[in-house]
Amino acid sequence: MAISVNTPVSREAHGVHPGQNKRTRRTRRGLATAFLLVFLVYFLLPLFWLIVSATKTNPDLFTSFGLWFSSDFNLFNNLGDLFTHDSGVFLTWLWNTAYYATCAAVGASLIATLAGYVFAKFRFPGRTLVFAIILGSIMVPSTALAIPTYLLLSKVGLINTPLAVVLPSLASPFGVFLMRIYAEQAIPDELLDAARVDGAGEMRIFWSVALRILVPGFVTVLLFSFVATWNNYFLPLLVLSDPTYYPLTLGLASWNAQASANGGAQLLFTLVLTGSLISILPLIVAFLFLQRYWQGGLTLGSIRS
Amino acid sequence: MQKQQQVEADRSTLAVSAMKQKSVLLRRYRWRKRVALPYLFLAPFLVLFMLFFILPLGYALGISLFADRLVGGTVFVGSQNYLQALQDSSFWEGIRRMLLFMVVQVPVMLCLALTFALLLDSGVAKLRTLFRLGFFLPYAIPSVVSALLWGYLYSSNFGPFAQIASSLHLPAPGFLTDSGMLASIGNIVTWQWTGYNMIILYAALQAIPSELYEAALVDGATGWKVARYIKIPLIAPALVLTCVFSIIGSLQLFNEPQIMSTLAPNVIGDHYTPNLYAYNLAFNDQQYNYSAAISFTLGAIVFVCSYIFMFATNRGRQR
């Protein structure tokens, strides 16, 4: 695993009693590490089971012990089956998911950055009220929104199109909240004034001065909207009915429903498991490589609230 | 003479009108700068926000006041759908179940998250980066996939727990039975979200300036005392934030029970959670109006719960 970009400052010294002798200190360290190790097993065991299961044939899934590899290493056959089953529909789902997530994430974070920048750096009538409404909307339950959104989209004929998934994902109130805090801290007013004195237009100032400073916040919002869209299930479940538009979550759930209905007689179980493994890999890689951003982003959100 | 006066008068009116024009221009310029420009920049977000937050909410509120009748089509019924919802035992069964879920799962998850965050922050344990990433990893997994994954692990056919039990000649644990299901779902949610909450709390802990508790440590306070009396009070806002988001999330539970219902259709009925009920009303029974009323009532309950919680913690902190 490619771990560690910026590990926060170590605080070895704290929590250690200066008057304590070495042995109790070591025992405490050992106990704390053991406690955390138990939970590490808990958090990683299902993933280990997933990896093991993706290497098994369908009969082995039922007969061999779940937490270890069986003698027959079938991963490559499973992958072959996965990408050819149902004339390669899995690849379509993978592509759809990447497409929806990329469009939604790039759009949502650009729009949120622009809005957050304005809330942070401009004084205009209605600023407090509008921002309060946006903040309040974070509390609105997603179901209260999803079903009327479905009905409205069907009125304008957007049901069962990619737009029905992408458009609602473009408005990210949490992204605006995050970018406002980030812009308030990162952009000095003097810098903007200097650019104005030099005669730069506001649009130009945003693109060539502010946006550059806002990159870390932008990447945070980008990552979180990407994950939210990649993992979204409820909205696509409502607005999509044609399997060729499905994202991975919906596709895998539909295979799972078929497999369960058939009592596992088909080879679908191995497909669902191998497909699940493939579907989570991109996000795990993204989180490992972009650690600095998501950890920084969550700090911002928690300090200010 | 007269002509000259005329010219002068003309000149002065010209000057005045020029000044007026200038001030109009200036005002217009200021208006542009102060009002038009910010709203122009906000326009993309505000348009989407209107279309996908305000409009659906208004629309749902609207249709929840109507009902489809066999005779006469759609008619205005006022608060009747809401009165029906208040007396609907299917709806309240779901609400009661989710309240029970919330009262148990949220404290368990947040206590774990807080313990992990404190241990990682205090530096008592080794391998801290590994723990931080390992605990957070489940968050990156779609809730559908984690529900599928745990569904298989719980399975009495090929789940490893059932296999271990049968090799010990014990009956398979009843994860997917009537009595075990809620705890099983609670475990999935805890597995998925503990690491996320841990990261938020950990980030808040890291932001505390260490001078604030170095003195206490030098005076001989134990790590536990520093945590209890200095660190936890300082990260109270982050704790409240994680609590509120967890309360909102647990009352709205949908994905996990929806996936589990394919594995145990007899245990998870169409109204196992209020959200599932609203979904099934709309998409299986085509009762959009009543479904909207259910969604709104649920939304109100979520709002009241988080509000009560924030009110209570605010008073507790002021005391």
Side-chain angles (χ1 to χ4, degrees), chain A residues 4 50 83 89 98 112 117 136 150 172 175 183 200 213 221 230-232 282 290:
Chain A
S4 113
L50 180 63
F83 285 103
V89 74
Y117 166 73
Y150 160 81
S172 161
I213 304 175
V221 178
W230 187 282
N231 292 354
N232 200 353
L290 297 173

Side-chain angles (χ1 to χ4, degrees), chain A residues 208-287:
Chain A
S208 45
V209 180
L211 199 56
R212 261 176 224 176
I213 304 175
L214 293 176
V215 163
F218 179 83
V219 176
T220 309
V221 178
L222 189 80
L223 182 67
F224 278 99
S225 348
F226 190 83
V227 173
T229 319
W230 187 282
N231 292 354
N232 200 353
Y233 176 66
F234 195 44
L235 182 71
L237 176 69
L238 300 191
V239 298
L240 298 177
S241 53
D242 182 349
T244 54
Y245 290 131
Y246 278 5
L248 284 168
T249 48
L250 211 50
L252 289 171
S254 74
W255 274 359
N256 179 57
Q258 281 176 45
S260 304
N262 293 329
Q266 293 183 351
L267 89 179
L268 273 173
F269 276 130
T270 45
L271 290 189
V272 174
L273 290 168
T274 317
S276 300
L277 183 63
I278 300 298
S279 76
I280 63 179
L281 287 180
L283 292 188
I284 292 179
V285 170
F287 269 110

Side-chain angles (χ1 to χ4, degrees), chain A residues 40-125:
Chain A
L40 189 68
V41 171
Y42 166 70
F43 285 113
L44 296 185
L45 198 70
L47 298 174
F48 176 71
W49 181 84
L50 180 63
I51 293 170
V52 168
S53 300
T55 68
K56 289 182 179 174
T57 62
N58 211 47
D60 274 355
L61 209 54
F62 290 87
T63 51
S64 67
F65 179 58
L67 291 173
W68 199 245
F69 300 92
S70 69
S71 51
D72 189 4
F73 188 83
N74 205 39
L75 176 64
F76 298 107
N77 282 336
N78 287 344
L79 284 174
D81 288 342
L82 177 67
F83 285 103
T84 51
H85 183 76
D86 222 346
S87 52
V89 74
F90 184 81
L91 202 62
T92 316
W93 295 341
L94 192 63
W95 164 251
N96 288 345
T97 311
Y99 174 69
Y100 300 155
T102 309
C103 291
V106 171
S109 36
L110 264 180
I111 291 167
T113 304
L114 194 56
Y117 166 73
V118 172
F119 278 119
K121 292 291 156 189
F122 288 81
R123 305 279 169 279
F124 54 92

